[in-house]
Amino acid sequence: MKKMKVIALTALITIPITLMADMDRCVSCHGVDFEKKALGVSKVVKNMSEQEIKTALDGYKKGLGGVMKALMIKEVNLGVDTDAMAADVYSESRTKGFEEPTDEFIFQKRLSVRTLHKLKMNIKKANPKKDMKKIVSQIKSIAFTMYTYDNLLKEKINFKTIKASKQKLTMANILKSVKSVKTCIDHSFSENEIVKCRTEFLNLAGTITRNEERKIKKKQKANKPPIYTGADSVDMTKYLK
Ligand code: HEC
């Protein structure tokens, strides 16, 4: 009885692991999308039909194949079901993966994640009442850098359309937002994906800026007569006491 339990348990643990590892092993010889001639010898599996793949795998099971059949005989003799494997290989080879990101992209992504990580730590340490100004200034400066170096972002973002949020931006809300942008960038594999995360961050910075503008306007209104601050304006403050 005890032995049965142990066997059942080992089966439970080992079966999913071998099934998962299968496809990962093929990649080293056949390529990520089965697009290579394995070791310069095999057919390009990506160009084979599901039936052809199954026939080849069944062949290896019976000990048949080409000059390097020994390698594949080892693979299929791990107890695989050739029907399921042929279906998996076929669908894997026809499913488009993402383009491998460039080194430059990965470097830029790491830089962004690091910056946002530091910001996150600063917000966590910050005193919600006293340090708001400091955090706000950090957010604006990071947003400025993001905007300056990302041309795609410049195309997507229009500051004029960013509206001040009705609800009050608390330190907790800001932290939530920064965390979400950081995770978003960390999980991105292309410029197009990253730009979506950065848009979220610029919206946060934009909301902060609009809120500040609103406060300044309110103050100006209170200081009647209205102060003209445009071109050629004269500093009226000394007459306003
Ligand atoms: C160590 C390198 C290696 C690994 C790992 C490997 N293969 Fe192969 N594969 C080969 C070679 C070499 C051939 C050609 C063998 C021959 O001479 O028949 C081949 C042939 C095949 C074929 C038949 C293609 C043909 O030429 O007719 C299929 C299908 C296949 N492999 C699928 C897989 C799958 C699925 C895995 C992972 C579970 C895998 N292979 C793992 C090297 C490898």
Side-chain angles (χ1 to χ4, degrees):
M1 190 61 200
K2 228 178 189 175
K3 210 172 185 180
M4 282 272 286
K5 259 191 197 156
V6 173
I7 291 167
L9 249 176
T10 350
L12 255 181
I13 296 165
T14 50
I15 285 171
I17 291 174
T18 42
L19 281 183
M20 269 177 6
D22 270 345
M23 285 296 190
D24 286 350
R25 262 205 326 276
C26 325
V27 165
S28 59
C29 298
H30 287 277
V32 197
D33 300 320
F34 286 95
E35 79 286 5
K36 288 186 184 151
K37 278 170 154 268
L39 307 180
V41 171
S42 80
K43 290 183 188 158
V44 173
V45 177
K46 197 182 173 73
N47 298 336
M48 294 166 77
S49 71
E50 191 174 330
Q51 188 51 54
E52 285 169 331
I53 297 170
K54 163 132 173 77
T55 307
L57 293 176
D58 282 338
Y60 294 126
K61 241 188 178 168
K62 287 185 221 139
L64 306 169
V67 281
M68 286 196 167
K69 64 180 182 189
L71 281 174
M72 286 308 298
I73 290 173
K74 216 170 69 196
E75 287 293 335
V76 292
N77 279 348
L78 290 171
V80 295
D81 166 358
T82 53
D83 266 325
M85 191 183 240
D88 277 356
V89 170
Y90 181 79
S91 99
E92 189 79 12
S93 67
R94 264 42 169 207
T95 314
K96 203 171 160 22
F98 55 78
E99 294 285 320
E100 287 301 322
T102 61
D103 288 349
E104 170 66 15
F105 174 86
I106 291 171
F107 175 73
Q108 291 301 335
K109 170 173 151 172
R110 294 306 308 153
L111 215 59
S112 257
V113 171
R114 264 179 74 91
T115 307
L116 290 169
H117 178 75
K118 281 188 194 168
L119 176 63
K120 190 181 104 183
M121 297 323 260
N122 287 348
I123 298 174
K124 276 189 173 170
K125 272 192 310 206
N127 177 324
K129 287 209 178 80
K130 283 192 213 146
D131 298 332
M132 196 50 139
K133 268 201 181 133
K134 208 168 73 188
I135 296 299
V136 156
S137 131
Q138 283 175 15
I139 290 173
K140 287 201 284 191
S141 120
I142 293 170
F144 179 77
T145 314
M146 259 186 203
Y147 186 76
T148 315
Y149 293 105
D150 189 336
N151 289 329
L152 200 53
L153 190 61
K154 278 185 202 153
E155 280 172 30
K156 306 253 162 171
I157 280 274
N158 181 355
F159 278 113
K160 284 184 196 138
T161 58
I162 296 178
K163 292 202 175 67
S165 143
K166 293 256 155 37
Q167 77 190 141
K168 208 171 170 238
L169 269 181
T170 60
M171 202 66 105
N173 281 343
I174 292 178
L175 179 62
K176 222 167 97 187
S177 186
V178 169
K179 269 188 190 167
S180 128
V181 175
K182 184 191 155 198
T183 313
C184 178
I185 292 186
D186 207 13
H187 292 181
S188 295
F189 286 102
S190 69
E191 291 291 347
N192 276 317
E193 277 183 300
I194 267 197
V195 103
K196 277 187 207 150
C197 325
R198 288 185 173 158
T199 304
E200 198 184 321
F201 191 77
L202 279 242
N203 275 329
L204 171 69
T207 302
I208 288 171
T209 313
R210 289 281 174 266
N211 279 347
E212 284 173 350
E213 274 179 9
R214 203 162 57 179
K215 268 189 207 152
I216 292 170
K217 273 189 191 142
K218 242 190 210 162
K219 266 191 194 156
Q220 286 182 340
K221 259 190 199 158
N223 269 347
K224 290 173 207 160
I227 305 169
Y228 174 62
T229 53
D232 303 324
S233 63
V234 179
D235 182 5
M236 300 286 285
T237 42
K238 54 188 167 192
Y239 303 109
L240 285 174
K241 275 169 201 147

